[in-house]
Amino acid sequence: MTLTSISPTQIDRDRFFINGEWKLPQSADTYRTIEAATEQQIGTAALGSAADIDAAVRAARAAIDNGPWGKSTAAERSEVLRKFATALELRGADTVALVSRENGMPITLSQAFNLQGPVALLRMYADYLDHNLLEVGMLSDLGGTLVRREPVGVVGAIAPWNYPQMLAMFKVAPALAAGCTVVLKPSPETALDAYVMAEAALEAGLPPGVLNIVAAEREASASLVEHPLVDKIAFTGSTAAGRLIGAKCGELIRRCTLELGGKSAAIVCDDVDIDVFLAGIDHAAFDNNSQTCTTQSRILAPRSRYDEIVDAVAGFCRDMKIGNPLDPETTCGPMATQTHLNRVLGYIEIGKKSDARLVTGGQRPADQSRGWFVEPTVFANVSNEDQLAREEVFGPVLTVIPYDDDDDAVRIANDSNYGLGGSVWSSDEARAVDIARRVRTGTVGVNYYVVDLNAPFGGMKDSGLGRESGPQGIESYFEYKSIYTSADFVR
């Protein structure tokens, strides 16, 4: 069952990928996937029950405890990861377009995040295995010690709908590299594209049970978090859901990494080159129609240049091309679902009823008769205490907040429950880096913001626990074991 063998207008995923096979669900529940730009049905996906999750977890447990994956060497896993990457690459064009249809992501961005990024992650962790020893010996006062890094075990990976392939691979690639087995629970909104990974995994030769995929709603997802045979949960999603998952993992003494929400700030310094700022604001604030956890929706502008910056941001928004995400010229596609559109419009209404000034946008575009589109929107004269500046909108709604000096800008940037992304814009790079060091957030860009896959990614405060990507991203999938030996053994 491949994407190329089914109609591009009707894709039905009526089975789950469990233990290396396509299994009929133990539930009759399905999810209708509606194209974000046209409001036409793309297809349907089966939704799993707790029984389906249990079957997937048991398959993963058996694969690591009794199957060849549990005995595999780093070199063997490296070879499989590279084959996995190639198999995904061959399916790339279909995957890229499908995700754009599912969640409204502009196709040029989808190319980067649903093809190039996931493939790069698999190859990066394959390279890691080639160049890092998983067992080292060292002398001790009493003799010698072998320090081993062993797989943590069965990983429950829960991925969101906004960057489905990339954020799933943030978990799957390092987990497999470490020798873990995985139960991937994709979001129902992007369940159709998730099974491309299963097809690629089969082609790459992953043994049965190493990667299992079951789409599910909240109740069945909770059974994955609570399952007694799961050793670690890796979750990307809302802070509210992350709190519940973190609490349950704490209760069970279960490892977890949580990549959660954000309300990031872009600090625009008084010496900014406005052209540099406008060249970078697209990735900083509008990637994936601002359906991005790192969206820098708080623009902090110096009072001395406040009106100029407000006008520049508003002009950028007016020039964005709103349209079908499959058009390479589109820079702002639709929201992923009708429900999410209503959420974003609700925040716009909150802004209109506040003391803030609506500068541009604020409604659905008149020239889009179908699809869940909303105009890129800018509010000025916003206080950092306003609801619009405190809560994550997850849509193209920006607030421009004035500040007095660098210290005031840092104070405002840090006055947030979140700490995931951010940026600093200045003609003096040393000054900008100094400011960046003072902002309490997991990632900060200086005169641009693009996530570096070779570096750790994650948040502070309510934005999460742990790090993904980079060499640090594999560490949470290892357990460290010390084996005490003689000095001669480790020499």
Side-chain angles (χ1 to χ4, degrees):
M1 181 170 59
T2 64
L3 285 175
T4 55
S5 67
I6 47 187
S7 166
T9 57
Q10 185 65 36
I11 303 169
D12 294 315
R13 294 289 191 177
D14 60 353
R15 302 184 182 217
F16 301 128
F17 186 66
I18 298 175
N19 204 32
E21 299 177 343
W22 298 102
K23 300 281 191 179
L24 287 170
Q26 300 183 55
S27 165
D29 293 340
T30 60
Y31 183 89
R32 292 175 62 246
T33 302
I34 306 299
E35 188 166 1
T38 67
E39 301 182 48
Q40 300 298 307
Q41 181 169 315
I42 303 173
T44 59
L47 292 177
S49 64
D52 296 301
I53 294 290
D54 178 66
V57 171
R58 292 185 182 280
R61 185 82 264 164
I64 196 169
D65 288 350
N66 305 313
W69 198 250
K71 304 178 183 69
S72 64
T73 65
E76 290 168 339
R77 296 197 296 275
S78 176
E79 182 181 0
V80 171
L81 290 181
R82 288 195 170 88
K83 290 180 179 177
F84 195 178
T86 299
L88 277 180
E89 207 166 32
L90 292 173
R91 292 162 171 77
D94 287 332
T95 308
V96 165
L98 178 56
V99 174
S100 290
R101 296 177 69 200
E102 287 175 309
N103 70 5
M105 181 184 292
I107 196 158
T108 52
L109 192 71
S110 188
Q111 178 80 17
F113 283 92
N114 295 301
L115 171 57
Q116 295 166 355
V119 167
L121 284 167
L122 283 166
R123 289 175 176 156
M124 180 180 73
Y125 286 113
D127 289 344
Y128 178 94
L129 292 176
D130 290 343
H131 297 101
N132 289 271
L133 296 175
L134 301 186
E135 179 177 289
V136 295
M138 62 182 189
L139 295 173
S140 70
D141 291 342
L142 301 177
T145 301
L146 282 178
V147 179
R148 287 177 51 81
R149 287 187 289 172
E150 298 181 348
V152 72
V154 175
V155 175
I158 303 175
W161 51 260
N162 58 332
Y163 292 85
Q165 292 281 312
M166 174 68 95
L167 294 179
M169 197 57 75
F170 263 8
K171 301 152 185 54
V172 171
L176 297 183
C180 299
T181 56
V182 179
V183 176
L184 172 62
K185 202 294 295 179
S187 174
E189 289 85 351
T190 48
L192 296 178
D193 71 86
Y195 293 94
V196 177
M197 283 193 188
E199 296 168 356
L202 277 173
E203 184 175 311
L206 262 72
V210 174
L211 175 63
N212 309 271
I213 302 177
V214 178
E217 295 279 18
R218 183 173 300 177
E219 184 175 339
S221 300
S223 73
L224 176 61
V225 175
E226 299 170 0
H227 200 289
L229 299 182
V230 169
D231 299 292
K232 171 184 165 63
I233 294 294
F235 170 78
T236 298
S238 72
T239 296
R243 289 186 194 281
L244 297 175
I245 290 171
K248 178 55 67 174
C249 287
E251 175 187 331
L252 297 172
I253 317 297
R254 178 162 299 163
R255 287 140 190 80
C256 69
T257 50
L258 306 172
E259 196 269 279
L260 310 177
K263 192 67 180 178
S264 302
I267 298 176
V268 184
C269 294
D270 54 14
D271 65 347
V272 68
D273 182 329
I274 205 70
D275 291 333
V276 172
F277 174 58
L278 291 179
I281 192 176
D282 189 22
H283 286 303
F286 292 107
D287 263 357
N288 197 17
N289 321 320
S290 302
Q291 297 175 130
T292 302
C293 51
T294 59
T295 292
Q296 279 128 70
S297 58
R298 290 187 297 152
I299 308 296
L300 309 190
R303 295 186 188 278
S304 61
R305 298 182 67 180
Y306 185 79
D307 291 341
E308 176 191 3
I309 292 166
V310 169
D311 290 344
V313 173
F316 183 92
C317 289
R318 295 188 190 105
D319 289 341
M320 295 184 77
K321 182 176 179 181
I322 303 172
N324 193 307
L326 296 179
D327 180 354
E329 299 299 316
T330 292
T331 56
C332 187
M335 300 295 94
T337 64
Q338 176 73 61
T339 299
H340 190 59
L341 171 66
N342 292 339
R343 168 191 167 90
V344 174
L345 292 174
Y347 272 105
I348 290 174
E349 289 305 309
I350 289 171
K352 289 178 178 179
K353 293 175 183 177
S354 72
D355 293 333
R357 173 171 62 91
L358 176 63
V359 182
T360 191
Q363 60 189 0
R364 300 188 67 175
D367 61 347
Q368 300 293 335
S369 60
R370 291 186 303 172
W372 298 307
F373 295 92
V374 61
E375 293 177 334
T377 299
V378 177
F379 284 95
N381 303 334
V382 178
S383 165
N384 199 53
E385 302 305 315
D386 290 350
Q387 186 175 355
L388 207 57
R390 308 300 298 184
E391 297 179 9
E392 185 175 37
V393 176
F394 224 60
V397 181
L398 271 57
T399 61
V400 187
I401 302 170
Y403 71 84
D404 296 322
D405 54 24
D406 289 359
D407 289 342
D408 193 37
V410 171
R411 179 191 64 78
I412 294 171
N414 288 337
D415 182 15
S416 172
N417 293 333
Y418 298 103
L420 186 59
S423 57
V424 185
W425 307 81
S426 171
S427 296
D428 182 344
E429 188 171 21
R431 174 190 180 189
V433 170
D434 180 63
I435 293 171
R437 289 187 177 114
R438 298 166 61 194
V439 179
R440 192 160 179 251
T441 189
T443 59
V444 192
V446 173
N447 292 326
Y448 74 97
Y449 185 89
V450 178
V451 172
D452 179 2
L453 296 184
N454 297 296
F457 176 83
M460 301 179 184
K461 298 184 281 187
D462 287 0
S463 289
L465 300 171
R467 293 294 182 267
E468 295 184 310
S469 192
Q472 295 82 1
I474 197 172
E475 285 300 317
S476 66
Y477 295 93
F478 285 126
E479 292 280 20
Y480 279 80
K481 175 188 287 184
S482 296
I483 300 176
Y484 310 129
T485 69
S486 68
D488 289 340
F489 191 86
V490 300
R491 281 196 176 101

